Amino acid sequence: MAESDPLIGATVGPCRIEAFISKGGMGRVYRGRHLALDREVAIKVIEPPLVNGDAVIRSVVAEARAAAKLEDPRIVQVYDVGIQGALCYIVMQLLRGETLERFVGWRRFLHPPEALRIMKDVVGALGAAHRAGIVHRDVKPGNVMLDETGAARLMDFGIAGAVGGSAEAAGTVDFMAPEQALGSQPDPRTDLYACGVMYYFLLTGKLPYPGEGGQAAILRHRECPIPDVRAADPSVTRFAASLISRLMAKTPDGRPANADETLKALDSPEMLQESAVVSASAGDDAPMPSPPPPVPMRDVTPTPVSRTIFLALTVVAFGRQWFSVVQADWMAAGVVSALFLLPFYLVDRRGWLRKTLAVLLFAGMCLSFYKFGLPGLSVWMPPVLPAIEVLILLGLGLACALGSLWEGVFDEDTRNTNLALWLLGGAVLILAVGGASLRLSLQGGSGFSGMGGLLAGELRSFISSQGFWRWSGFAFLYAGSWVFFPKRKPTSQRVEGRVLGYV
C-alpha cells in the first residue's frame, strides 16, 4: 500500500502521513504525525463524491468542527479539520486497539456481560454528543474502537448532524433507522435505533435483517417484524431482549426518549439476571420488568477423574483390537484429526497454545493420509518416486489444508470460518484420493485407475479387522468423558455484592 498510495509521506494540513490504516465508505484513514506537536495522530482523508462534492465537503467540515468540541473519554477526540486542494482531512486521536467489527469477526459473538459493558460505553458517548446537540447518524461496530484496556470509544463523526438540522439520508443501511433512510431530520433516537441493531449483532454475531444491502435492507428495517434476540441466544434475559426491541421500534416515539434513559436501563441489574423480587418492587417505574428465566450454566469441562476413567475404559475395552490395525486405520486417523480441528475453528481459543495444538493436529492429518498411501505399516519413504500427477494431487490437498489452517486459526483479524471449513473438507477429500493414488502409483499402475477397487478393499479390511469398533468406541468413550463425568464451572460477575450473571 505504501508504494502505490501517493499520500504516504505527503503533508496534509499540519500533519505528515506515515502509514495506511484502513478504508471506509467516505475515505481512507492513515497514521500520521502532527508536526508542530510531534505526536502521532489518525488522519481521515475524505475524497469528495462526484455529485454535490463541494456541499458534502462543507457539511463534513462543519460537523467535524462541532464534534471537535466534544470532550468525553468515550469519544475519539477530533483535533483539526480542513480542506487541502480537492481533499478534506480530519485529524483525530490515534488509539492502539482494534475496531469492534474486527473483534466480533474473530470472536463470532460476545457473551452478555461483554456486550453490555461495550453498549454502556457507546450509549454514554452518544449521551454526551446528544447533550451537545450532535447526532452521530452512523453508529455501527466499525465506528467503535476498543482500546488496549478493552474500553469502547465512539469515533468517526464525519456525517454527524445537528439536532433538527438539514434532512438527508446518510449512514450505513444495515444499522439505519427507517425514518433516517427516508431523509428525516437528525434525531437522537435514530442513534438509539442503531444501538439496538448493534446490541443484537454483538450478542448473536448476526444482523437482525440479514441479506443484501441497499434498498432491500432499508425495506426490511421498515417493514419486517423486530426479531427476538432470545431465539438466537436463549441466555439473553427477557429484560435485555425487551430493551433491544424497544430501541429498534419502527418509529422514534416507540424508542427510549434519550440516551440517558437507555443508559439507566443498561445499568439495571435485570440486564444480566432477572429477579422477580427486583421486578416486583420496581413497580410501574421499572423500564421493562420481566419474569426471571433460569441462568444457564457455562463451560462444562471434564474433570481429571473423568479423563482418567475415559483412558482406562479405552485401554480395557479396545486395547487388544489396536494390535490388529490395518492400513485403512491411517485413513481413519486423518479423518479424526480433521474432526478434532473443528473446535479450534468454531471456538474462541486465542494464544500460542491454541495455534500449537492446531498445527500438531494439522500435521497428524497430513501424515496420516500420506501414510495411508504407502504399502506397509513400517514404510515411511517410498522406494521410487511417485508419478507427477500424484505429487500434484498431494500438493493441492496440502495447499487446501494450509489455507484452512490459516483462515480458521491464524488469521484473527479477518477470520473466515465458513471458508476454513470448506477448505478443510476439500483437504480431507483430496488427501484421501491422493493417498490412494500414491498407493496405486507405487504398485506400478496408474495413479487413478483401480481407485474404486482399492478403496472398496480397504473398507472391507477396515471392517473385518474391527476398525469400525475401534474408532467408534473411542469416540463414544470420549463423548462420555464430557457427558457422564462433567465439571461445571460457573464464573459469576458480582457488582456491589450482587450476582449479575455468568461470564
Side-chain angles (χ1 to χ4, degrees):
M1 177 63 69
E3 297 178 356
S4 59
D5 196 326
L7 289 179
I8 302 296
T11 300
V12 176
C15 306
R16 182 179 65 247
I17 295 178
E18 296 180 343
F20 172 82
I21 296 179
S22 64
K23 182 178 181 180
M26 295 187 65
R28 298 172 180 267
V29 180
Y30 298 88
R31 175 176 57 81
R33 180 166 297 277
H34 196 290
L35 299 177
L37 301 178
D38 192 26
R39 67 182 300 178
E40 285 191 321
V41 293
I43 307 167
K44 184 170 186 178
V45 178
I46 300 173
E47 300 176 0
L50 297 178
V51 180
N52 296 327
D54 293 339
V56 171
I57 291 298
R58 287 195 299 269
S59 175
V60 169
V61 171
E63 303 306 341
R65 286 173 177 167
K69 300 176 183 178
L70 298 175
E71 295 184 2
D72 189 280
R74 296 161 295 192
I75 296 177
V76 176
Q77 185 68 43
V78 175
Y79 296 139
D80 195 6
V81 61
I83 301 174
Q84 181 171 311
L87 302 177
C88 172
Y89 65 87
I90 302 175
V91 182
M92 301 175 291
Q93 178 184 7
L94 179 65
L95 293 180
R96 303 294 181 185
E98 59 185 339
T99 65
L100 181 58
E101 183 179 29
R102 287 189 176 183
F103 184 70
V104 178
W106 61 261
R107 282 287 305 274
R108 296 178 61 238
F109 63 89
L110 304 184
H111 296 302
E114 297 176 293
L116 178 62
R117 174 180 55 80
I118 291 172
M119 290 307 302
K120 285 182 180 180
D121 288 342
V122 172
V123 173
L126 286 173
H130 294 168
R131 286 189 292 272
I134 297 175
V135 181
H136 190 283
R137 296 202 294 182
D138 197 18
V139 178
K140 60 182 180 180
N143 284 338
V144 176
M145 177 68 73
L146 299 181
D147 63 20
E148 293 175 323
T149 67
R153 311 281 287 272
L154 186 62
M155 62 180 181
D156 202 348
F157 283 77
I159 62 171
V163 175
S166 60
E168 60 177 322
T172 303
V173 292
D174 287 326
F175 297 86
M176 190 185 298
E179 72 277 5
Q180 185 179 353
L182 298 176
S184 64
Q185 289 184 328
D187 186 320
R189 291 171 294 183
T190 61
D191 284 346
L192 297 183
Y193 181 92
C195 285
V197 178
M198 186 165 72
Y199 201 179
Y200 183 100
F201 176 75
L202 297 184
L203 291 170
T204 66
K206 303 175 182 178
L207 293 170
Y209 303 113
E212 296 182 0
Q215 188 67 26
I218 294 174
L219 291 176
R220 284 192 294 271
H221 280 269
R222 189 174 63 189
E223 299 175 358
C224 291
I226 301 171
D228 183 5
V229 68
R230 286 169 58 86
D233 184 359
S235 69
V236 177
T237 63
R238 296 178 186 175
F239 190 93
S242 264
L243 177 59
I244 291 175
S245 296
R246 189 177 172 190
L247 289 169
M248 293 180 59
K250 301 300 181 182
T251 61
D253 293 338
R255 301 169 201 153
N258 50 51
D260 292 336
E261 180 180 327
T262 306
L263 191 58
K264 180 180 178 181
L266 291 171
D267 279 328
S268 64
E270 298 96 328
M271 286 300 301
L272 291 177
Q273 184 181 36
E274 296 168 339
S275 167
V277 176
V278 173
S279 298
S281 63
D284 295 336
D285 294 332
M288 273 158 286
S290 310
V295 178
M297 303 297 288
R298 297 185 180 274
D299 265 348
V300 181
T301 56
T303 64
V305 174
S306 67
R307 295 177 189 271
T308 303
I309 293 175
F310 158 69
L311 292 175
L313 288 176
T314 302
V315 171
V316 171
F318 302 102
R320 292 178 57 186
Q321 292 188 11
W322 287 97
F323 289 104
S324 60
V325 294
V326 294
Q327 196 71 23
D329 279 286
W330 289 109
M331 170 80 82
V335 174
V336 170
S337 300
L339 292 176
F340 280 155
L341 272 175
L342 293 181
F344 293 91
Y345 293 177
L346 301 176
V347 180
D348 174 34
R349 295 182 181 179
R350 304 186 69 183
W352 283 104
L353 178 61
R354 167 178 175 258
K355 293 180 173 62
T356 301
L357 293 175
V359 168
L360 291 176
L361 284 170
F362 164 80
M365 179 185 69
C366 295
L367 288 176
S368 297
F369 283 117
Y370 168 76
K371 189 67 176 69
F372 167 72
L374 296 178
L377 294 174
S378 61
V379 177
W380 282 96
M381 293 299 296
V384 295
L385 186 66
I388 186 64
E389 295 86 353
V390 176
L391 294 177
I392 293 175
L393 194 62
L394 291 173
L396 183 60
L398 182 62
C400 287
L402 282 170
S404 176
L405 185 69
W406 172 259
E407 290 291 341
V409 177
F410 280 87
D411 190 9
E412 294 180 351
D413 289 337
T414 58
R415 183 179 174 194
N416 190 331
T417 304
N418 289 333
L419 178 59
L421 296 179
W422 279 107
L423 286 173
L424 182 62
V428 170
L429 179 61
I430 296 174
L431 288 174
V433 175
S437 300
L438 176 63
R439 175 87 63 85
L440 293 171
S441 176
L442 294 177
Q443 291 175 352
S446 171
F448 298 99
S449 63
M451 182 73 65
L454 173 63
L455 294 177
E458 289 295 338
L459 180 61
R460 288 193 297 269
S461 174
F462 185 69
I463 295 176
S464 63
S465 66
Q466 306 299 317
F468 175 78
W469 296 107
R470 279 195 297 275
W471 290 97
S472 60
F474 181 86
F476 175 79
L477 289 179
Y478 180 75
S481 70
W482 287 78
V483 176
F484 299 113
F485 310 100
K487 178 181 180 182
R488 299 183 183 275
K489 299 168 58 179
T491 304
S492 60
Q493 182 190 43
R494 295 179 178 270
V495 176
E496 298 179 354
R498 295 177 300 177
V499 177
L500 297 187
Y502 293 99
V503 181

